[in-house]
Amino acid sequence: MSSMSRRQFMQLLGASAATVAGLGLVGCGGSSSSSDSSSDSKVATIKERGKLKAGVKKDVVGYGLLNTSTNTYEGMEIDLCYQVAAKIFDVSYDEAKSQGLVEFTDVTPKTRGPLIDNDQLDIICATYTITDERKQSWDFTDPYRTDHIGILIKKGSMSTMADLDGKHIGVSQGSTTKDAIVKMLEDQGISATPTFDEYPDYPSINSALDAGQIDAFAMDRSTLKTYTTDDKELLQPEIEFGAQEYGIATKKGSDLSEVTEEVVTEVVSNGWIDQEVETWGLL
């Protein structure tokens, strides 16, 4: 065999090996594509995992509260998460609860969106107000509950919204509260320009109010109920403003979005939500 023929032989052998390897890669690629397709389904991922990962509040009485004595979460939104799990796993609500089909993580207004984006959580059910801006980044169900903004103050410290002029109002980072108050003052024709101080969580705002570092604590009334004591009251509660429509948030374009919408539609139409409002004594 000449040098040229040996070279040709080796080239032919290499080409054959490449063809076989290429076929193998095609097979792997097909399998990978199928796997990717499966992973694109949030519902399928949750079923394979065996639990729904839900972001909830841990400090809002009646909605999402971590009971430190039992180390369990309780409230209307906690129950709503079990309704979603029941739909996904095709079991009853009671079975979803007894089997612990939801894994809860407490979230803040600042963390809830990113935790959906990076797939650490499947849903956010945490007094999450639906806005047009947020709907550009995440899917939301129709509202399951509508609340309003309240302004909590030390009793006797102020009497009208006009007294907010020059005062410091504590609000939560990433919330819509500041904009709602500014709009309310404009709509009511009230000449007041307060300063807004942002805090990472509700207990921090409440502590600042107690310590006199701020003059008021503004948030959804459902949240403020948790912090209302004998020496605190709502400022002009008859002024109802800043309607906050709560929805369940999911990743944009996720097949899970359809499931959560079905659940919310069902629990609102069949009166389950109304029962929960009564059970948890919501405002």
Side-chain angles (χ1 to χ4, degrees):
M1 185 180 291
S2 67
S3 172
M4 179 63 71
S5 63
R6 280 199 302 273
R7 188 157 50 245
Q8 290 174 330
F9 174 75
M10 293 304 293
Q11 289 172 343
L12 179 62
L13 183 62
S16 299
T19 300
V20 172
L23 289 172
L25 286 173
V26 169
C28 292
S31 173
S32 175
S33 176
S34 173
S35 174
D36 288 344
S37 176
S38 173
S39 67
D40 285 343
S41 168
K42 289 290 290 183
V43 174
T45 299
I46 295 166
K47 287 181 176 179
E48 290 170 10
R49 185 197 305 136
K51 280 183 185 274
L52 170 71
K53 292 186 176 182
V56 296
K57 290 291 181 65
K58 69 172 182 178
D59 53 6
V60 182
V61 173
Y63 281 86
L65 181 72
L66 179 59
N67 188 325
T68 54
S69 62
T70 61
N71 200 35
T72 57
Y73 287 87
E74 57 187 37
M76 182 190 76
E77 291 179 329
I78 306 304
D79 294 342
L80 185 53
C81 289
Y82 282 119
Q83 288 282 18
V84 175
K87 175 70 75 175
I88 292 171
F89 293 100
D90 194 22
V91 298
S92 70
Y93 163 77
D94 290 334
E95 288 172 328
K97 205 165 185 178
S98 64
Q99 294 174 27
L101 296 181
V102 184
E103 179 182 307
F104 296 105
T105 298
D106 58 272
V107 296
T108 67
K110 193 174 182 180
T111 64
R112 54 195 173 189
L115 288 173
I116 293 180
D117 292 338
N118 62 23
D119 293 316
Q120 285 185 254
L121 295 176
D122 304 312
I123 66 172
I124 299 294
C125 189
T127 60
Y128 206 178
T129 304
I130 305 166
T131 67
D132 290 338
E133 183 180 0
R134 287 172 178 168
K135 284 163 71 174
Q136 292 178 13
S137 301
W138 306 285
D139 286 337
F140 280 87
T141 62
D142 284 341
Y144 55 82
R145 175 77 170 149
T146 300
D147 199 1
H148 292 85
I149 298 294
I151 301 177
L152 192 68
I153 60 171
K154 288 290 187 69
K155 277 188 177 178
S157 62
M158 287 179 263
S159 57
T160 69
M161 294 294 182
D163 294 332
L164 289 171
D165 189 45
K167 299 294 196 299
H168 284 257
I169 303 176
V171 296
S172 182
Q173 292 174 349
S175 71
T176 59
T177 308
K178 173 184 174 181
D179 293 339
I181 294 174
V182 170
K183 186 176 186 306
M184 177 272 294
L185 293 173
E186 291 176 354
D187 292 345
Q188 295 287 327
I190 298 171
S191 179
T193 307
T195 297
F196 294 92
D197 299 340
E198 295 192 349
Y199 291 83
D201 52 51
Y202 306 136
S204 298
I205 308 176
N206 188 56
S207 296
L209 178 60
D210 287 338
Q213 297 169 342
I214 57 176
D215 305 292
F217 175 2
M219 182 42 59
D220 303 359
R221 294 189 185 198
S222 56
T223 301
L224 291 179
K225 179 183 177 182
T226 306
Y227 301 99
T228 301
T229 56
D230 290 340
D231 66 336
K232 296 173 189 171
E233 63 185 358
L234 287 179
L235 177 63
Q236 281 199 269
E238 69 276 10
I239 298 181
E240 199 170 76
F241 70 98
Q244 306 291 298
E245 295 185 322
Y246 300 149
I248 298 177
T250 47
K251 197 165 189 177
K252 195 75 174 173
S254 164
D255 61 346
L256 180 58
S257 303
E258 298 177 13
V259 177
T260 54
E261 180 59 38
E262 287 178 19
V263 171
V264 168
T265 299
E266 288 175 9
V267 299
V268 169
S269 62
N270 65 19
W272 181 86
I273 281 287
D274 293 333
Q275 279 187 312
E276 287 284 300
V277 168
E278 188 175 332
T279 298
W280 295 105
L282 301 179
L283 293 175

